[in-house]
Structure formats: structure tokens, C-alpha cells
Amino acid sequence: MEDRGVVTLVNPNQIYPPIAPYALDVLTTALEAAGFETHVLDLTFHLDDWKQVLREYFQARRPLLVGVTCRNTDTVYAFEQRPFIDGYKAVIDEIRRLTGAPVITGGVGFSTMPFALVDYFDVDFGVKGPGEKIICDLAEALSEGRPADGIPGLLINHGPGQVTRVPPPVLSGRTATTALPLPLGAPGHFESRTWQAETELSYARRSGVPYKVDNLRYYRAGGLGSILTKNGCVYRCTQCVEPDAKGTRFARRDLEAVVDEVESLTAQGVYDLHTTDSEFNLSIASSKNLLREIIRRRDSDVSSPLRHLRLWVYCQPAPFDAEFAELLAAAGCAGVNVGADHVRREMLDGWKVTGKGTRYYDFSDTERLTELCHRNGMLTMVEALFGMPGETLETMRDCVDRMMALDATVTGFSLGLRLFPYMDLAISLAEQCDGVRTVPGLQSHNASQPIVLKPLEKCSGPIEYERQFMFDSAGDFRLVCYFSPDLPEAPETVGSPNGIWRASVDFLWDYIPKSEHYRVMLPTISGSSENDNNYADNPFLTSLNRQGYTGAFWAHWRDREAILSGADLIGELAAEPVR
């Protein structure tokens, strides 16, 4: 196919441990299939000289289009509230200074507030949700000299405060039609985005190739690779961004293409792969078939690189049956991370729900999942999330007691929620505020006045609505979080817009016996402990990687003191599973 121009993809993420920018492999695959030469400029390994890297590249090349991925807007950790988008903006500003090529941004983090970020970054275009189809359409339009305003789903910047989205086809059921387009500039939240995703091709995963993502380097520096089997989510958990950001229906990938990709990565020496689905066990029949294909290929060829695979999966407590557990183990699964979130039915009602609003599991499902995993030799991490509306000292204590009784490999307790514009919880809180009052529990570390949110219909448009979750009225960062006001905090804490829920943190540290602390992750006030379970620039995780540990970091959590000290001690749980 005739070369149609160069598209340059930039990864501005400089948080450690490094995570390979999987999205850029996906975009590269689609763009190359469409006939575009694609270069990846990865700034993760250029903390000090990223400006020089950009300058040298753009002095020698004139790309047709530059894409920048924004994986996370911030740490999404309520006790740290550290934004990343200012760093992304610095990279984008430098790109704009060096080249006249149009710039498009996307990524999961970007997709949580896309109108506000197109405006903040001052880029030409943006994509909410999977970007592989839309970026190809844009590159084709640019190469042919056509305007971009006819590309469905594309966000276009018309100037400060003026961002619109080209109406995509209305999505009815599982298929798209061309009838009744959405109004110009509609925010496009909670749509199916299956039409945006590339589901047939096996994504090209490379190592050591210039101007491509170096997957093996990331694996050696970060201990995990990644694999996607489907995009989107049909569930509607009230604290989750993914149904909105990724789409409300599953875009299932071709299973053989996925296993081809797994085979390619393991052949390159990337043995530990974590699923990046919106939970691997949702759409469980498809997941079972994928595991069967891995097992078939591995067992039919004694030299198959799949024999080295160690799979790490994120699951919901249900659906999860004995057959699924056996297939996971047979395919080389080393560990399962389950987002149980709570044990109380009244807490899970209206929170962990299907698209129709019905709760889809209870704590007995978490108990069964943990038992099945242990029976099949797989490690487990069970996570609870405290601080949703209605959380009290009693509900928190009950959750701790029952989750600790599971005897999971590791039990993680988080407190507080980072709010994003199109979470159902955030939408509800904005409606309660109604632009005129605050709601108890709304908090930001650097808030100087009560946090008053406006619902979308009372805003001038999606830019204003989205900005209020990241910025205050003066334009300074103010990341909005929520903590249940019914937790054991002093009235002055709950009544302060920047109050810190210290008493709830202290309760967890005191209530769980010190003799059990080795197997739990507990929330910490920012900077107070090296055992903080926040991912970004975490001392324990960086120690893991320096010492060559691989796999999910929680699999080594019980040995963290020895690892942090640099001792050459690897406990039973940190040893690589033998398969």
C-alpha cells in the first residue's frame, strides 16, 4: 500500500513504575493497516531530556498529525489528589511550538472530561473512547485535504471555550444506524462505542524497534504487560467511569487475534500479562472461550511460548464458577484481583449494578470466588472501597471483619472516591448541589470555599460542567472527591471543604491487629507511609522493579519489608508460580 504520510504518537506519561502505553500499539496497528507510517515518541524513559527528544524529532520530520495519549488525569487517589494534566500540557505546548501539524488527544483519562481537556490543552481535536477508527478517519481526511468536520465522533476545537463533537450515528441496540443524529456538540456520555473500536486485527506488539512501543523494556522496568479482550462495559456501577469513557456495550475482540497477541508477547519474553478489560469475567462465555484457545495452543505445542504465560486478571465477584476457575488455572493464571468493594447488601444496592440498576452479586459470591481460586492454586487480592454514601463506622467494621476472614493473599481497603463528571455518583451529587449549595462529603485538599457543583443542564455546556471537577473558579487545580459524612469524623472535618478524614484512616490502622498488617493494604494520609498503596511513584513498587520482581505488585506485598530493605529474600508468595 502506498505510504500516505507520517502520524506521530506521543506518550507523555512519566510516572513510575512505567506502564506500557498499550493504546499506542492499538493506534499504530490501525494506522499502519490504513497505510500510514506511524512513529511513537515515548517520553516515559526521558524524564530529564524530553524536550530535547521532541526537538530533535520534529527538526527532522514533518508529520501529518500528532496524537497524544492521556491515560490518567491524576492519581485517582483521594488522599493524594495529584494532577498529571499540567505535565501533559507542558508536553503538548512544546509539541505545538515545534510543529504546525494538528494535534489530537485521547485516552481513558482524557475521555472522562474530553471537552474540558481539549479546551485546557488547546489542541485541535480529541477522541472520547476508543480512538483507532476516528484517528484513521482524521488522518485520511488530512492526507486528502478534506475538512475534519464530517468525521463522526471527533471533537473539534473552534477556539477558547468552543469545543464541539461531530455527531456519530445513533446507536440502537447492538448496531449503528444513520437516522436521528445527536445534536452538534452533545457531550455523548453513556453511549455504545463499539463502532469506534478495532476488534478484528491482532494488535502489533513490538520490542526493541525504533519509534515503536518497546514492550520488553516496559516489562523489565515495570514487571507487567497488558492484554485487552474487549472494550466497554454493560454494567453501571455508580462510582465507575468506564461505561461512559469506554462505552456501554462490549466491543469483543476476535479471540484468535487476542491469543496471537499473547503468543507474540510471550515469545518476546513478556511473560506476566494483566487483562485491561472492564473486568475479565464479565461476558464470561467469551472469556472462557479465550482461555480454552490459550490452553489448546499451549498443550498442542511443547515449544509454545504460551507455556511461559503468567496471567493476572481483574474480576468482579460474579459471574465466577468452578469451570472458569479451572480454565484460568489451566491457562496459566497466577492471580485474581477481585473488586468486591463491600460486604453489606444495603451498601452494594444502587452501587454495584447492571445497566438496569440491579445489584449483580453479594458477599457470598466473593467468598466463593476466593475459595475457588485458592483451590486451583491462584493468588487473590480482594478490594474494599469505603466512603460511598451511607458508609458508617458500623458498615466499615463489618466489612473489615468479613473480608479479613476470607484469608485472601492480600486484602486492600481504600477510602474516599475521586469524582469524575460522568460517574452516576458525580451526576447525582451535582444535581443535589444544583449550583446553589454544597453537599456534605464533597472535599478537595486545596479547596478554599465550599464545593458547589452545577448539573450539566445548568452549565453553559460540557466544558463548564467538566472543568468544575478538576479546577476551581479561578482556574487552579481543585480535584473533587467524596467521603461519606457519616463516617466517624469530627463535625468540623465534615463541614470543611478541605477536611481530611483522618479518624477513619486511624480506625482502620487501629482496628486491624498489627499482626495482620502484613496481608492488608490500608489507606494512608499522603506521604505518611512507605506502604502507601497508591501506584504513582510508590517506593515499594519501584523497589520491586529494581530488584527484578515481575507480576502483579500485590503478589509480593507480604514480603514488602524485605524487598524495601533490598534484602535478597523472596517469600513463598513472591515465588513465581510453577506451571
Side-chain angles (χ1 to χ4, degrees), residues 450-467:
I451 298 170
V452 179
L453 302 173
K454 294 169 67 174
L456 178 60
E457 60 270 19
K458 290 198 172 183
C459 293
S460 59
I463 293 177
E464 182 187 4
Y465 175 71
E466 294 169 7
R467 277 185 62 89

Side-chain angles (χ1 to χ4, degrees), residues 279-518:
E279 285 65 272
F280 182 62
N281 61 323
L282 305 183
S283 188
I284 194 169
S286 177
S287 298
K288 286 180 178 180
N289 286 335
L290 182 133
L291 294 170
R292 291 187 183 104
E293 178 62 13
I294 291 174
I295 295 165
R296 184 193 68 77
R297 293 195 197 185
R298 193 195 65 176
D299 291 351
S300 64
D301 181 0
V302 295
S303 63
S304 172
L306 292 172
R307 290 176 173 261
H308 299 291
L309 173 65
R310 289 184 293 270
L311 192 62
W312 303 86
V313 300
Y314 192 91
C315 289
Q316 290 295 309
F320 199 105
D321 57 25
E323 181 187 40
F324 187 57
E326 291 165 1
L327 287 169
L328 280 169
C333 183
V336 176
N337 186 336
V338 55
D341 287 336
H342 219 286
V343 303
R344 300 277 286 249
R345 290 187 177 185
E346 74 271 23
M347 288 298 301
L348 295 172
D349 283 339
W351 170 11
K352 299 303 289 285
V353 294
T354 66
K356 295 181 179 180
T358 305
R359 175 171 48 81
Y360 58 97
Y361 68 85
D362 59 29
F363 186 59
S364 65
D365 294 300
T366 303
E367 292 175 312
R368 177 167 171 76
L369 180 150
T370 307
E371 192 276 328
L372 285 170
C373 288
H374 291 182
R375 185 193 306 173
N376 286 276
M378 295 179 288
L379 307 180
T380 54
M381 178 173 175
V382 180
E383 295 188 90
L385 175 57
F386 294 135
M388 287 288 287
E391 190 81 76
T392 65
L393 180 63
E394 177 189 353
T395 62
M396 194 159 59
R397 181 186 289 116
D398 188 27
C399 187
V400 170
D401 289 343
R402 293 163 72 182
M403 283 201 168
M404 291 298 290
L406 291 172
D407 195 27
T409 307
V410 180
T411 305
F413 298 106
S414 298
L415 177 64
L417 300 100
R418 169 75 169 97
L419 296 180
F420 289 94
Y422 302 110
M423 288 177 170
D424 277 345
L425 177 62
I427 292 170
S428 173
L429 290 167
E431 290 172 348
Q432 292 174 53
C433 287
D434 200 32
V436 297
R437 67 185 70 86
T438 191
V439 172
L442 288 176
Q443 184 267 6
S444 181
H445 288 358
N446 59 348
S448 58
Q449 55 188 354
I451 298 170
V452 179
L453 302 173
K454 294 169 67 174
L456 178 60
E457 60 270 19
K458 290 198 172 183
C459 293
S460 59
I463 293 177
E464 182 187 4
Y465 175 71
E466 294 169 7
R467 277 185 62 89
Q468 65 185 331
F469 291 89
M470 178 68 78
F471 302 98
D472 64 18
S473 58
D476 297 321
F477 284 114
R478 186 214 58 194
L479 282 62
V480 179
C481 296
Y482 178 85
F483 295 81
S484 169
D486 299 319
L487 284 167
E489 300 295 335
E492 56 268 26
T493 296
V494 176
S496 172
N498 56 13
I500 307 296
W501 265 241
R502 295 177 184 274
S504 300
V505 174
D506 291 343
F507 163 76
L508 290 169
W509 280 89
D510 294 339
Y511 185 70
I512 298 172
K514 287 186 178 179
S515 60
E516 298 294 320
H517 283 188
Y518 74 98

